[in-house]
């Protein structure tokens, strides 16, 4: 049955070679009940482990049923253990978190027993070892003798021809020890039983043969009684390739997930961390990317994707006729004639207790959304619309009833000469808020003015976007303009330093004025009427000090106003359906309007840089996920260390590498799914406004549509599979025995 020919086992640790046993030649047959004795360190356990296939050997040959084993691959060795060997240990090696029933059942499941035959068999075996009353007791609650009975039950369940027991009574009191030996004797009839013991008297009356070892050598091999004899060489169990069925793997994996509550909770926390980390780094990156999509478009404050900016191809001002034609194009939600207003980002502040930023809008359309206060009644009143967050609401509320200057956010110039009063505030809808978030900078909301107020601002906006240059006797100069009623129309007063640009006598000369912007390029001529100096400035310009007036060109306010009293050169439309915005754009172009979709402008504005940045962000995401993975892996490894005992026990019971890897996978994936469900639940709660009203959180959650959640789920599961693979790989670096020895 089993034959060893000059087999030696050496241990090498740290360059030192120790001998487990050397040149042992023995033969064993079915029906034998063999005791191996010898002092501690003589090599008994090592010999048993080699026989069991738990350890390899270096020299000689071991035959099983005539088959040489030295060339066995790992799989063949696993198969050998599974079909031939039942192990019983001094330390019992039970799975403490399993019940007696589950411990025995595990063996049957691992050997591929069918579902319906498992239960009756388990009951029968448990009864045979006398533990019927303890079937549903956890192994950890049993006495030593009972534990060893479970170990024997397990060996029986395996139905192997060979049972090896390494000091099975070493941890038991005399009475339990005697009972265990008797039980082993009972089951020994058609099996080969090899038992290692210190205490030979205990087994003397049963054994058929006594082997004594000393210093790694067999020094005595004594036949005591002839074995029962007449046994046929028993067939080992059929080799079955993958015995643990998928369904049973699932059942065991799920059982393992929950049967140690503390471990389950720890793992869940780690996975919630992994999953939450994945969600937050993923959405964080999405958020960054979307900022890049909207871009820092310097020219347009309102960068909503629905917007098309239009100009007449002939660069002339729009007429009423144009507007009618444009509105008839279809898919037009809104025509914004005064579109400069759209792009004027401003802030209102009284320098002490409030500061709000916003985009200008016409007040009338927000009437229904007012929370407190009212619509503006004149051009010195404003309604503020803010996003729906506590912070913004409070800011708006604190501004209510106060006055402040409306200032251009780009230029720092006051858009209106007098202070305006905040007469009401309201809250934006989610869609309005999204449009605002698409705009290029961070804004509190919309400043809603009366139409007259808006018109004045439009004038100021036009002014701030144009550049005036003077040409005086062939010399280019750019100087700021001031207005003074005392200057006759069509005339200007020059400051002396501008007048000195020419050698000629200034008064009476013509000065050319060019006023240029994106929308117009106008030329005017003025006659120089006077030159003011440090001595006559007050008389000519009304300025109180010379410093206040120096360097300017003074003209009559009517002349100045004329330069900006112009038609509309640029308008915008907002489309209803952004999906067909390109069609709408082509129609407008066919009709003779230069059109420009803001959504395209976002890419142009960053010119390739954004592609690079996106690649960089994707890389950042990958690096974050890898870091997250390793942090999780190391924590998991610590937690799973407690599982090493479980898996080495499974291996000793005949579980293959693949079985263990499958079980780990099921366990980790189960936890990962629960963690994902928890995270998805939290996301949903934030999404539907049940918890948290933190802007940033809401913003992040807004990226988590079904598609993105699916991607995150896939990432989480992928990382879990990698974790499982890494862990099972590390588990199988060692032989089953070494793995076990290290843990116990
Ligand atoms: P026994 O079971 O008879 O007490 P063992 O078989 O455990 O003895 O040990 C036999 C010899 O092998 C001893 O000298 C022991 O130190 C050595 N040995 C056992 N296991 C290892 C190991 N994992 N690494 C190195 N030496 C070992
Ligand atoms: Mg030993």
């Amino acid at each position: 049955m089993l034959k060893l020919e000059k087999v030696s086992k050496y241990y090498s640790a740290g360059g030192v070679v120790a001998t487990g046993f050397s040149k042992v030649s023995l033969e064993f047959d079915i029906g034998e009940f063999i005791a191996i004795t010898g002092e501690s360190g003589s090599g008994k356990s090592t010999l048993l482990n080699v026989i069991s296939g738990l350890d390899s050997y270096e020299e000689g040959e071991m035959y099983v049923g005539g088959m040489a084993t030295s060339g066995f691959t790992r799989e063949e060795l696993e198969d050998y253990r599974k079909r031939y060997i039942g192990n019983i240990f001094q330390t019992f090696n039970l799975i403490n978190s399993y019940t007696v029933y589950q411990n025995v059942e595990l063996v049957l499941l691992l050997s591929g027993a069918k579902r319906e035959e498992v239960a009756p068999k388990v009951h029968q075996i448990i009864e045979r070892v006398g533990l019927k009353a303890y079937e549903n007791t956890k192994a950890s609650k049993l006495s030593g003798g009972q534990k060893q009975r479970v170990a024997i039950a397990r060996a029986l369940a395996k139905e192997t021809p060979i049972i090896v027991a390494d000091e099975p009574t070493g941890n038991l009191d005399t009475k339990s020890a005697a009972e265990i030996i008797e039980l082993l004797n009972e089951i020994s009839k058609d099996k080969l039983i090899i038992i290692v013991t210190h205490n030979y008297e205990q087994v003397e009356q049963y054994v058929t043969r006594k082997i004594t070892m000393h210093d790694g050598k067999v020094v005595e091999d004594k036949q005591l009684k002839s074995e029962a004899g007449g046994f046929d060489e028993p067939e080992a169990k059929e080799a079955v390739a993958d015995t643990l069925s998928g369904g049973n793997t699932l059942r065991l994996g799920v059982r393992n997930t929950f049967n140690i509550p503390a471990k389950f909770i720890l793992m869940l926390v780690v996975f919630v961390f992994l999953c939450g980390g994945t969600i937050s780094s993923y959405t964080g990156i999405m958020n960054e990317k979307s900022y890049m999509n909207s871009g820092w478009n310097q020219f347009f404050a309102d960068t909503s994707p629905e917007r098309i900016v239009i100009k007449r191809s002939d660069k002339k001002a729009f007429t009423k006729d144009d507007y009618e034609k444009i509105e008839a194009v279809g898919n037009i939600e809104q025509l914004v004639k005064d579109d400069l207003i759209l792009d004027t980002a401003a802030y209102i502040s009284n320098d002490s207790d409030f500061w709000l930023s916003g985009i200008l809008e016409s007040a009338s359309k927000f009437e229904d959304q007012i929370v407190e206060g009212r619509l503006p009644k004149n051009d010195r009143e404003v309604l503020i619309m803010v996003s729906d967050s506590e912070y913004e609401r409070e800011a708006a509320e604190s501004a209510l009833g106060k006055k402040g200057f409306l200032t251009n956010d780009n230029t720092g110039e006051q858009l209106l000469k007098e202070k305006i009063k905040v007469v009401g505030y309201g809250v934006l809808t989610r869609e309005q808020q999204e449009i605002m978030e698409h705009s290029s900078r961070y804004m509190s909301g919309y400043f809603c003015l009366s139409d007259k107020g808006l018109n004045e601002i439009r004038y100021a906006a036009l002014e701030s976007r144009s550049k005036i240059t003077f040409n005086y006797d062939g010399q280019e100069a750019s100087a700021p303009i001031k207005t003074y009623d005392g200057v006759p129309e069509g005339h200007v007063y020059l400051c002396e330093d501008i007048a000195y640009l020419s050698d000629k006598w200034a008064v009476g000369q013509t000065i050319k004025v060019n006023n240029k912007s994106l929308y117009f390029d106008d030329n005017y001529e003025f006659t120089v009427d006077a030159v003011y100096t440090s001595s006559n400035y007050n008389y000519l310009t009304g300025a109180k000090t010379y410093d206040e007036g120096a360097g300017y060109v003074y003209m009559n306010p009517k002349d100045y106003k004329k330069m900006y009293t112009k038609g509309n050169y640029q308008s915008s439309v907002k489309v209803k359906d952004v999906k067909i915005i390109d069609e709408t754009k082509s129609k407008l172009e066919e009709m003779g309007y230069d059109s420009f979709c803001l959504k395209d402008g976002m890419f142009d504005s960053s010119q390739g840089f954004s592609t690079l940045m996106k690649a960089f962000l994707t890389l950042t995401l990958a690096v974050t996920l890898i870091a997250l993975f390793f942090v999780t892996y190391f924590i998991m490894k610590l937690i799973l260390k407690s599982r090493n005992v479980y898996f080495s026990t499974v291996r000793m019971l005949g579980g293959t590498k693949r079985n263990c890897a499958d079980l780990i996978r099921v366990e980790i994936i189960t936890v990962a799914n629960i963690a994902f469900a928890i995270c998805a639940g939290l996301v949903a709660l934030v999404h539907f406004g049940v918890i948290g009203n933190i802007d940033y959180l809401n913003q992040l959650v807004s990226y988590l549509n079904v598609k993105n959640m699916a991607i995150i789920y896939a990432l989480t599961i992928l990382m879990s599979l990698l974790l499982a693979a890494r862990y099972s790989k590390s588990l199988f670096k060692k032989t089953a025995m070494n793995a076990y020895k290290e843990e116990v």
Side-chain angles (χ1 to χ4, degrees), residues 81-99:
R81 275 213 305 274
K82 186 175 241 177
R83 289 160 58 201
Y84 284 88
I85 306 293
N87 279 104
I88 293 165
F89 298 91
Q90 179 176 358
T91 48
F92 320 123
N93 280 19
L94 300 185
I95 291 163
N96 281 325
S97 57
Y98 278 16
T99 62

PDB file of all heavy atoms in Angstrom, residues 81-99:
ATOM      1  N   ARG A  81      -3.459  13.685  -1.465  1.00  0.00           N
ATOM      2  CA  ARG A  81      -3.952  13.972  -0.110  1.00  0.00           C
ATOM      3  C   ARG A  81      -5.454  13.785  -0.027  1.00  0.00           C
ATOM      4  O   ARG A  81      -5.985  13.228   0.927  1.00  0.00           O
ATOM      5  CB  ARG A  81      -3.650  15.434   0.251  1.00  0.00           C
ATOM      6  CG  ARG A  81      -2.283  15.663   0.793  1.00  0.00           C
ATOM      7  CD  ARG A  81      -2.298  16.785   1.820  1.00  0.00           C
ATOM      8  NE  ARG A  81      -2.863  18.015   1.318  1.00  0.00           N
ATOM      9  CZ  ARG A  81      -2.176  18.930   0.657  1.00  0.00           C
ATOM     10  NH1 ARG A  81      -0.894  18.721   0.405  1.00  0.00           N
ATOM     11  NH2 ARG A  81      -2.747  20.018   0.237  1.00  0.00           N
ATOM     12  N   LYS A  82      -6.092  14.221  -1.063  1.00  0.00           N
ATOM     13  CA  LYS A  82      -7.542  14.181  -1.064  1.00  0.00           C
ATOM     14  C   LYS A  82      -8.061  12.745  -1.087  1.00  0.00           C
ATOM     15  O   LYS A  82      -9.005  12.408  -0.393  1.00  0.00           O
ATOM     16  CB  LYS A  82      -8.026  14.943  -2.302  1.00  0.00           C
ATOM     17  CG  LYS A  82      -9.501  15.122  -2.373  1.00  0.00           C
ATOM     18  CD  LYS A  82      -9.838  15.980  -3.564  1.00  0.00           C
ATOM     19  CE  LYS A  82     -10.525  17.229  -3.095  1.00  0.00           C
ATOM     20  NZ  LYS A  82     -10.818  18.148  -4.173  1.00  0.00           N
ATOM     21  N   ARG A  83      -7.386  11.908  -1.859  1.00  0.00           N
ATOM     22  CA  ARG A  83      -7.923  10.552  -2.055  1.00  0.00           C
ATOM     23  C   ARG A  83      -7.426   9.541  -1.032  1.00  0.00           C
ATOM     24  O   ARG A  83      -8.092   8.563  -0.761  1.00  0.00           O
ATOM     25  CB  ARG A  83      -7.592  10.063  -3.466  1.00  0.00           C
ATOM     26  CG  ARG A  83      -8.396  10.793  -4.528  1.00  0.00           C
ATOM     27  CD  ARG A  83      -7.739  10.666  -5.885  1.00  0.00           C
ATOM     28  NE  ARG A  83      -7.582   9.277  -6.269  1.00  0.00           N
ATOM     29  CZ  ARG A  83      -6.715   8.852  -7.177  1.00  0.00           C
ATOM     30  NH1 ARG A  83      -5.937   9.718  -7.777  1.00  0.00           N
ATOM     31  NH2 ARG A  83      -6.628   7.578  -7.475  1.00  0.00           N
ATOM     32  N   TYR A  84      -6.239   9.786  -0.452  1.00  0.00           N
ATOM     33  CA  TYR A  84      -5.658   8.752   0.398  1.00  0.00           C
ATOM     34  C   TYR A  84      -5.601   9.088   1.882  1.00  0.00           C
ATOM     35  O   TYR A  84      -5.611   8.201   2.714  1.00  0.00           O
ATOM     36  CB  TYR A  84      -4.224   8.442  -0.064  1.00  0.00           C
ATOM     37  CG  TYR A  84      -4.153   7.607  -1.312  1.00  0.00           C
ATOM     38  CD1 TYR A  84      -4.158   8.190  -2.567  1.00  0.00           C
ATOM     39  CD2 TYR A  84      -4.093   6.207  -1.219  1.00  0.00           C
ATOM     40  CE1 TYR A  84      -4.105   7.436  -3.714  1.00  0.00           C
ATOM     41  CE2 TYR A  84      -4.033   5.431  -2.373  1.00  0.00           C
ATOM     42  CZ  TYR A  84      -4.041   6.041  -3.620  1.00  0.00           C
ATOM     43  OH  TYR A  84      -3.986   5.279  -4.744  1.00  0.00           O
ATOM     44  N   ILE A  85      -5.478  10.370   2.214  1.00  0.00           N
ATOM     45  CA  ILE A  85      -5.065  10.694   3.573  1.00  0.00           C
ATOM     46  C   ILE A  85      -6.135  11.400   4.397  1.00  0.00           C
ATOM     47  O   ILE A  85      -6.722  12.403   3.973  1.00  0.00           O
ATOM     48  CB  ILE A  85      -3.804  11.610   3.554  1.00  0.00           C
ATOM     49  CG1 ILE A  85      -2.685  10.980   2.732  1.00  0.00           C
ATOM     50  CG2 ILE A  85      -3.333  11.929   4.972  1.00  0.00           C
ATOM     51  CD1 ILE A  85      -2.100   9.712   3.339  1.00  0.00           C
ATOM     52  N   GLY A  86      -6.362  10.886   5.603  1.00  0.00           N
ATOM     53  CA  GLY A  86      -7.149  11.603   6.585  1.00  0.00           C
ATOM     54  C   GLY A  86      -6.215  11.977   7.728  1.00  0.00           C
ATOM     55  O   GLY A  86      -5.513  11.125   8.259  1.00  0.00           O
ATOM     56  N   ASN A  87      -6.165  13.278   8.089  1.00  0.00           N
ATOM     57  CA  ASN A  87      -5.230  13.730   9.122  1.00  0.00           C
ATOM     58  C   ASN A  87      -5.937  14.005  10.444  1.00  0.00           C
ATOM     59  O   ASN A  87      -7.024  14.566  10.476  1.00  0.00           O
ATOM     60  CB  ASN A  87      -4.563  15.056   8.715  1.00  0.00           C
ATOM     61  CG  ASN A  87      -3.415  14.839   7.758  1.00  0.00           C
ATOM     62  OD1 ASN A  87      -3.543  15.079   6.570  1.00  0.00           O
ATOM     63  ND2 ASN A  87      -2.302  14.371   8.278  1.00  0.00           N
ATOM     64  N   ILE A  88      -5.270  13.615  11.524  1.00  0.00           N
ATOM     65  CA  ILE A  88      -5.759  14.004  12.845  1.00  0.00           C
ATOM     66  C   ILE A  88      -4.570  14.592  13.600  1.00  0.00           C
ATOM     67  O   ILE A  88      -3.478  14.017  13.571  1.00  0.00           O
ATOM     68  CB  ILE A  88      -6.329  12.784  13.608  1.00  0.00           C
ATOM     69  CG1 ILE A  88      -7.604  12.309  12.891  1.00  0.00           C
ATOM     70  CG2 ILE A  88      -6.640  13.141  15.051  1.00  0.00           C
ATOM     71  CD1 ILE A  88      -8.045  10.936  13.321  1.00  0.00           C
ATOM     72  N   PHE A  89      -4.762  15.756  14.218  1.00  0.00           N
ATOM     73  CA  PHE A  89      -3.635  16.443  14.861  1.00  0.00           C
ATOM     74  C   PHE A  89      -3.831  16.584  16.357  1.00  0.00           C
ATOM     75  O   PHE A  89      -4.953  16.590  16.848  1.00  0.00           O
ATOM     76  CB  PHE A  89      -3.461  17.845  14.259  1.00  0.00           C
ATOM     77  CG  PHE A  89      -3.145  17.836  12.801  1.00  0.00           C
ATOM     78  CD1 PHE A  89      -4.151  17.897  11.847  1.00  0.00           C
ATOM     79  CD2 PHE A  89      -1.823  17.756  12.382  1.00  0.00           C
ATOM     80  CE1 PHE A  89      -3.859  17.877  10.501  1.00  0.00           C
ATOM     81  CE2 PHE A  89      -1.534  17.746  11.028  1.00  0.00           C
ATOM     82  CZ  PHE A  89      -2.549  17.804  10.080  1.00  0.00           C
ATOM     83  N   GLN A  90      -2.715  16.805  17.009  1.00  0.00           N
ATOM     84  CA  GLN A  90      -2.749  17.067  18.444  1.00  0.00           C
ATOM     85  C   GLN A  90      -3.592  18.316  18.743  1.00  0.00           C
ATOM     86  O   GLN A  90      -4.311  18.372  19.720  1.00  0.00           O
ATOM     87  CB  GLN A  90      -1.303  17.288  18.914  1.00  0.00           C
ATOM     88  CG  GLN A  90      -1.187  17.601  20.374  1.00  0.00           C
ATOM     89  CD  GLN A  90       0.270  17.713  20.792  1.00  0.00           C
ATOM     90  OE1 GLN A  90       1.183  17.515  19.994  1.00  0.00           O
ATOM     91  NE2 GLN A  90       0.487  18.012  22.050  1.00  0.00           N
ATOM     92  N   THR A  91      -3.459  19.285  17.855  1.00  0.00           N
ATOM     93  CA  THR A  91      -4.169  20.555  18.079  1.00  0.00           C
ATOM     94  C   THR A  91      -5.534  20.594  17.393  1.00  0.00           C
ATOM     95  O   THR A  91      -6.097  21.654  17.187  1.00  0.00           O
ATOM     96  CB  THR A  91      -3.318  21.719  17.570  1.00  0.00           C
ATOM     97  OG1 THR A  91      -2.865  21.390  16.257  1.00  0.00           O
ATOM     98  CG2 THR A  91      -2.128  21.973  18.464  1.00  0.00           C
ATOM     99  N   PHE A  92      -6.031  19.456  17.003  1.00  0.00           N
ATOM    100  CA  PHE A  92      -7.388  19.262  16.451  1.00  0.00           C
ATOM    101  C   PHE A  92      -7.605  19.876  15.070  1.00  0.00           C
ATOM    102  O   PHE A  92      -8.238  19.269  14.231  1.00  0.00           O
ATOM    103  CB  PHE A  92      -8.473  19.785  17.409  1.00  0.00           C
ATOM    104  CG  PHE A  92      -8.209  19.489  18.858  1.00  0.00           C
ATOM    105  CD1 PHE A  92      -8.149  20.506  19.802  1.00  0.00           C
ATOM    106  CD2 PHE A  92      -8.001  18.180  19.278  1.00  0.00           C
ATOM    107  CE1 PHE A  92      -7.897  20.223  21.127  1.00  0.00           C
ATOM    108  CE2 PHE A  92      -7.754  17.894  20.615  1.00  0.00           C
ATOM    109  CZ  PHE A  92      -7.693  18.926  21.543  1.00  0.00           C
ATOM    110  N   ASN A  93      -7.108  21.106  14.872  1.00  0.00           N
ATOM    111  CA  ASN A  93      -7.270  21.755  13.563  1.00  0.00           C
ATOM    112  C   ASN A  93      -8.712  21.832  13.087  1.00  0.00           C
ATOM    113  O   ASN A  93      -8.997  21.593  11.927  1.00  0.00           O
ATOM    114  CB  ASN A  93      -6.492  20.992  12.483  1.00  0.00           C
ATOM    115  CG  ASN A  93      -5.045  21.343  12.509  1.00  0.00           C
ATOM    116  OD1 ASN A  93      -4.580  21.861  13.516  1.00  0.00           O
ATOM    117  ND2 ASN A  93      -4.361  21.099  11.425  1.00  0.00           N
ATOM    118  N   LEU A  94      -9.595  22.150  13.989  1.00  0.00           N
ATOM    119  CA  LEU A  94     -10.977  22.323  13.566  1.00  0.00           C
ATOM    120  C   LEU A  94     -11.173  23.766  13.119  1.00  0.00           C
ATOM    121  O   LEU A  94     -10.352  24.625  13.408  1.00  0.00           O
ATOM    122  CB  LEU A  94     -11.930  22.017  14.726  1.00  0.00           C
ATOM    123  CG  LEU A  94     -11.844  20.621  15.303  1.00  0.00           C
ATOM    124  CD1 LEU A  94     -12.934  20.437  16.356  1.00  0.00           C
ATOM    125  CD2 LEU A  94     -11.990  19.561  14.217  1.00  0.00           C
ATOM    126  N   ILE A  95     -12.284  23.987  12.437  1.00  0.00           N
ATOM    127  CA  ILE A  95     -12.625  25.372  12.130  1.00  0.00           C
ATOM    128  C   ILE A  95     -13.539  25.852  13.239  1.00  0.00           C
ATOM    129  O   ILE A  95     -14.695  25.435  13.347  1.00  0.00           O
ATOM    130  CB  ILE A  95     -13.260  25.470  10.731  1.00  0.00           C
ATOM    131  CG1 ILE A  95     -12.156  25.167   9.715  1.00  0.00           C
ATOM    132  CG2 ILE A  95     -13.846  26.858  10.504  1.00  0.00           C
ATOM    133  CD1 ILE A  95     -12.645  24.835   8.360  1.00  0.00           C
ATOM    134  N   ASN A  96     -12.960  26.656  14.102  1.00  0.00           N
ATOM    135  CA  ASN A  96     -13.625  26.997  15.360  1.00  0.00           C
ATOM    136  C   ASN A  96     -14.932  27.749  15.182  1.00  0.00           C
ATOM    137  O   ASN A  96     -15.826  27.669  16.014  1.00  0.00           O
ATOM    138  CB  ASN A  96     -12.689  27.820  16.238  1.00  0.00           C
ATOM    139  CG  ASN A  96     -11.691  26.924  16.931  1.00  0.00           C
ATOM    140  OD1 ASN A  96     -12.022  25.796  17.293  1.00  0.00           O
ATOM    141  ND2 ASN A  96     -10.472  27.395  17.080  1.00  0.00           N
ATOM    142  N   SER A  97     -15.036  28.502  14.083  1.00  0.00           N
ATOM    143  CA  SER A  97     -16.263  29.281  13.890  1.00  0.00           C
ATOM    144  C   SER A  97     -17.371  28.436  13.255  1.00  0.00           C
ATOM    145  O   SER A  97     -18.482  28.902  13.092  1.00  0.00           O
ATOM    146  CB  SER A  97     -15.960  30.490  13.011  1.00  0.00           C
ATOM    147  OG  SER A  97     -15.419  30.068  11.790  1.00  0.00           O
ATOM    148  N   TYR A  98     -17.049  27.205  12.889  1.00  0.00           N
ATOM    149  CA  TYR A  98     -18.063  26.304  12.334  1.00  0.00           C
ATOM    150  C   TYR A  98     -18.638  25.423  13.439  1.00  0.00           C
ATOM    151  O   TYR A  98     -17.950  25.118  14.416  1.00  0.00           O
ATOM    152  CB  TYR A  98     -17.430  25.372  11.294  1.00  0.00           C
ATOM    153  CG  TYR A  98     -17.264  25.949   9.901  1.00  0.00           C
ATOM    154  CD1 TYR A  98     -17.338  27.311   9.649  1.00  0.00           C
ATOM    155  CD2 TYR A  98     -17.034  25.084   8.822  1.00  0.00           C
ATOM    156  CE1 TYR A  98     -17.161  27.807   8.370  1.00  0.00           C
ATOM    157  CE2 TYR A  98     -16.858  25.571   7.539  1.00  0.00           C
ATOM    158  CZ  TYR A  98     -16.921  26.935   7.316  1.00  0.00           C
ATOM    159  OH  TYR A  98     -16.752  27.415   6.056  1.00  0.00           O
ATOM    160  N   THR A  99     -19.868  24.967  13.233  1.00  0.00           N
ATOM    161  CA  THR A  99     -20.438  23.988  14.160  1.00  0.00           C
ATOM    162  C   THR A  99     -19.847  22.620  13.847  1.00  0.00           C
ATOM    163  O   THR A  99     -19.158  22.447  12.843  1.00  0.00           O
ATOM    164  CB  THR A  99     -21.966  23.891  13.995  1.00  0.00           C
ATOM    165  OG1 THR A  99     -22.223  23.433  12.669  1.00  0.00           O
ATOM    166  CG2 THR A  99     -22.637  25.235  14.214  1.00  0.00           C
TER     167      THR A  99
END
